[in-house]
Every structure is written in structure tokens, then in C-alpha cells.
Amino acid sequence: MLLNKPGKKIILLGNEAIVRGALEAGVQFVSTYPGTPASDIGDTFFRIGKSAGVYFEYSTNEKVALEAGVGASFSGLKTLVAMKDFGLNVCLDALGPFVYTGSKGPTVIIVADDPSCHSSAQWEEGTRAISYLTHIPTLEPADPQECKEFTKLAFQISERFKIPVMIRTTTRVAHQRAPVRISNIEYRISNKGRFVKDPRRFVTLPPRVMEMKKELLEKIEKIQTFSEHSKINQINRFPKSISGTGIITSGIGYLYVKEALKDLNLNLPVLKLGFFYPLPEKKIKDFISRAPRQRGEARDESKALSDQKLKKVLIVEELEPYLEKEVERLAKEANCKLKITGKELISEVGELKPEIITLAIAKFANCKLKIENSLKIRNWKLKIPKRFPQLCPGCPYWFVFSAIKKAVDPEKVVFGGDIGCYMLFGLPPLKIQDFLSCMGSSLGIAHGVKKATDQKLITFIGDGTFFHAGIPALINTIYNKSNPLIIILDNGTTAMTGHQPHPGAPATPNGIRIENVVKGCGVKNLRVIDPINQKEFVAAVKEFLNKKEVSVIIARRPCVQIKR
């Protein structure tokens, strides 16, 4: 990763290419909260940060990570903050004002979406909506080489326009591996900055905040002009193109389009958008109003378009149809007769796959599938029996589950779940989980259920999740006097996302003991038990389940992977 041989190609994951791009841009401060598919970014900086002269931290949660990044940026440092899609929700309160104040040290925010919910239990989120909500410039790379180059470009945009820039990836972009051509790493002598007081710039209070919004929108106009001329928005022309037909796409969709066109032996002009927000509207209008010439008819980009209007265009994008709606809006002015096809052929549910795009393009272009394409699609539609994921053999959570089964009748108790390996309590053969929402919500929802009913309730939360978002909910439960039994599963690591440290992990110097936090919040009924001691654990569950105040059992036994 720290190899300094300009022009050499090395094989990198998309996430690792982002790290390389940040190093080549001279990043000084990096903060993150681990969450797949973005975890590799933090894990890589964790390994190489000191050698590269970069400050790195695993923050307590994504909001804190972004706020730390804001402070570093206000102090003039080149800053990168990384998270998964749900993490952007957590830090939204801090993101909106930051876009208003703008960045002093160039700042890039990496957000990795997880279409099809490979590692995301709660819901299938597409974070592109937040680009419009907060007016944050957003780039979408398609492969590891673009991950590196777009990261460097994002720092340049941030430095030029004094605004944080977001890079949105997806699971297939973050986790694909490919050769990446590297450049020089820009080493900094120091990663120390200086905060210079400037309340007019850094304090978001009315009436100044309304002026800030106006200034932000003016910045976006300038960035849109920049986007129009950026090489990351490309028109790809092919020989013998089908007349009047084109495709507009972005991100991973572009790779699937290229593969599908090759498999189908089709030559359609493709507009690949690297800028998602602000969109290069003029470039889109030009594309849909003047069909691209065939390759060879014009050698330079300025003469790449003919006077013939496109008749129909296919929009290839993942999840919600943001590009499709924007193209519909622009077509009213540029080409009102244009037939726009998108989500009628490509579902809003689930990630894109080559088979999906091949079938969509074949239907769009009225092209017959070759036998080999038909076989691919037929195999893709086969229903293969699924095996439910299981806890690891030797996982300490098996002992907790066993004790719960011995202590209570599962049919007579409500069970709350949270985000972590113990989510698997909701799947066969365990099946003791009656609600599951988001990080830390097990305690908040449990409190609401207890206030609304007289039912007995046991709720689970992991050690990392407790530090991330559980503490405020615990305080609320105590303050408003309800009495769930809370079991904090302390396995000494953030296991589900790759065993990163957290504030209470044994590997963390001067770690914070969970029991001290719980005591400090005012909990009287508290036990710390190794769940292998089944008799003690069962007795504690039976005793605490009948208490009139909130009770907490800390089930402490190390993750079997850490122990090994």
C-alpha cells in the first residue's frame, strides 16, 4: 500500500484504492466507525496510519467520527471520514451544518451502500437522496482505478470550492479487486493544524445560516459548471451504433452495461456519469438531444454529437430512480419526444447484476438473446435452497442462549434484538428475537414496550453497539422508570465487522469498563457473569426479570475468534 513507484500497477480492492487515493492526495486525518462494506478503509488505515504519518481513529460512532473530521478540517487538515450507508443517517445532524460552513482543510466523506442487504439487516438504503437533501457534491466510481482517482479528485474539488465532497460506493465497487496504476504518495511533514477563530464561517446560527445556504447554492452552481467539463462524465461511442438509441448510467451499472453490450454484440452510445450531484445537466441534454456520432466520424469530444435526436434512452441505476427522474425533467426541455425507460425493466429492489442488465438491454433494444445469454439468465433465476447463517462454533452467545432457554419460557417473554452477531438469535434454530431495528434501538424500543404493556421483556445489545448508541437509551430507560432486563453481550471486540477495537475492548489502552458506565448511569441491579457459568446466569435472569427497576447483566466472555 505504501509502495512509491509511479506508473506501477498493484492489485487493490475498491476500498484499498480509496485509501491509496487519499494517501496520494496527502491526507492527514482519518476517522471512521466500522461498517461493512466500508470497513476495509478503516482497517487499512489502522495498519498503515503510523507508517504513513496519518492520524487515524476508530470513533465511537459515525456522528462522532464526522464531528472529529469537521474539527480537523476547521483546523486546516486534509481529512477523510468513512462509513457505511446507515452511518450517514447517524451523522446527518452534523453533515448538514458542515456543508453550510464548508471545509477549511479539504474533506472527503466515503459512504458505502449495500444493495441487497448483504451485511445490512435493517433496510435497503440508497444514500443518494442525501446528496440532494444536504447539497453535498457526490461522485460515483465504478472500479478500483476510479476509486483511487475519484478520491484524489474529491480532495481537489473540496480544496477549490471549500466544501466537503462525498464519494458514494456500493458493495460491488468496494469489494471488487483489480489492477490499479499508482502515483506518488504525498507525505506531510506534520499532521498538526491550527484553528483560527472565524465565527462568521463556523457558527451556524440565524440569520447568518440563511446567508450560508445562499452561498452554498452559489457554490453548487460553480461545481455544476466544473462537472460539465469533467472527464469523469464520459460519452462512449461505438461503431455501427443502433440509430436513435442510448444508455445513461453511473457507478457499478456502467461495468454491467459494458459487459452486457459485449455479450449481446450490441453497439449503443453510453453516457457514463461520474458526478451524481450536481449532475452535468448540459452534457445530459446534449446527449439526449443530439445522438452521438459513430466512432470515426469525429475525433474530438466537441464534435462527438450529431444533429439527430435520440429516440429512446435506457437509464441503468441501482435502487431508486434518481437519474431517471432527472433525465425526465431535462428531456421536457431538450427532447420532449424521448422515450425514457428505466425501472420498468430494472427493479428498485436488490442490487444490479450482469444478468439483470443483459436481459434489460436485450428487451430495450429488441435484441434476441444468444443461447449462452439465455442459459446465464435461466441459471440466475434458479431457486437454490438457502442455509441460514449460524453463530460460530464456540461463540459465547451460545451459552447466553442456552441460559435464557433454561431460565424462561420464550413464549411468555418479549425479546429485543440489536445490531451485531447476536442478530442471529432471530433465525432458526434459535428464534428468540421479536423486534430488531437499528444500532442501539433494542434499549429504546424495550423501554417503549415496557411503558405500554405489563409483559416481561429481555433485550440484547452488544458491547460495541452499547458504546455506539446504547448509552443514551439506557439513561432514558432509567430516567423514565421502566424495567426491562438488559443483557449486554461483551465479547471484547466489534466482531461482526471484522474485530475492530471499541472503547471497552481489552485491546484498547485505558479502556472504559462497561460496568462503570452502567453504574454511573444509576443502575442498581447489575451483574457481570461469564455465561459459561450457567447456574449463576440462569439464577440472575430469573431474579432480575421480576425487578421493578431496570436490570443489567453483562455477559462477558471473549469472542472465540479473538481467543484463538
Side-chain angles (χ1 to χ4, degrees), residues 277-339:
Y277 181 86
L279 284 171
E281 294 187 1
K282 184 178 182 300
K283 201 174 194 81
I284 295 172
K285 286 180 181 179
D286 286 346
F287 182 79
I288 62 177
S289 64
R290 294 187 293 142
R293 297 181 189 273
Q294 293 179 10
R295 185 178 293 166
E297 292 184 46
R299 292 189 177 181
D300 60 275
E301 184 73 17
S302 63
K303 297 178 181 178
L305 301 169
S306 68
D307 294 326
Q308 179 189 6
K309 288 181 180 291
L310 275 187
K311 296 175 183 177
K312 61 179 185 178
V313 67
L314 175 66
I315 313 298
V316 177
E317 60 183 321
E318 218 159 32
L319 305 182
E320 291 78 16
Y322 295 114
L323 286 180
E324 186 176 340
K325 290 176 180 177
E326 288 297 303
V327 173
E328 286 174 352
R329 176 178 65 84
L330 297 171
K332 289 177 182 177
E333 180 183 336
N335 185 357
C336 61
K337 293 183 180 180
L338 179 70
K339 178 176 172 51

Side-chain angles (χ1 to χ4, degrees), residues 41 43 79 110 130 152 168 177 181 250 288 311 322-323 353 361 408 444 452 509 512 559:
I41 298 171
D43 294 350
T79 301
I110 311 292
I130 293 176
K152 294 173 71 174
R168 184 250 186 182
R177 194 181 294 275
R181 190 180 299 278
S250 67
I288 62 177
K311 296 175 183 177
Y322 295 114
L323 286 180
K353 296 179 181 178
I361 292 176
V408 302
I512 301 168
C559 169

Side-chain angles (χ1 to χ4, degrees), residues 255-265 353-360 362 369-384:
L255 299 187
Y256 295 155
V257 166
K258 282 178 64 179
E259 185 175 334
L261 291 176
K262 183 178 179 182
D263 284 350
L264 296 169
N265 196 25
K353 296 179 181 178
E355 301 86 8
I356 295 172
I357 304 309
T358 300
L359 186 60
L369 291 170
K370 292 185 292 186
I371 292 175
E372 55 266 35
N373 298 132
S374 299
L375 288 173
K376 279 183 183 179
I377 292 166
R378 199 177 301 146
N379 290 335
W380 161 58
K381 289 184 175 180
L382 286 175
K383 290 186 178 180
I384 300 171

Side-chain angles (χ1 to χ4, degrees), residues 536-552:
E536 182 183 359
F537 205 99
V538 169
V541 170
K542 289 181 175 179
E543 177 189 347
F544 284 173
L545 201 54
N546 294 307
K547 294 286 186 180
K548 292 183 180 180
E549 309 89 13
V550 63
S551 301
V552 174

Side-chain angles (χ1 to χ4, degrees), residues 97-172:
F98 185 33
V99 181
Y100 271 39
T101 63
S103 53
K104 184 177 178 183
T107 303
V108 175
I109 300 167
I110 311 292
V111 179
D113 284 4
D114 186 27
S116 287
C117 300
H118 295 288
S119 60
S120 309
Q122 303 98 299
W123 61 297
E124 188 179 52
E125 178 176 3
T127 56
R128 293 185 299 168
I130 293 176
S131 303
Y132 288 100
L133 176 65
T134 62
H135 300 289
I136 184 169
T138 304
L139 311 182
E140 281 195 282
D143 57 37
Q145 185 69 52
E146 287 193 348
C147 284
K148 182 185 86 85
E149 301 301 339
F150 282 28
T151 301
K152 294 173 71 174
L153 176 62
F155 275 111
Q156 291 166 11
I157 294 169
S158 180
E159 187 160 24
R160 177 171 172 178
F161 296 100
K162 308 301 180 188
I163 190 171
V165 176
M166 185 163 81
I167 293 179
R168 184 250 186 182
T169 67
T170 60
T171 301
R172 299 302 174 184

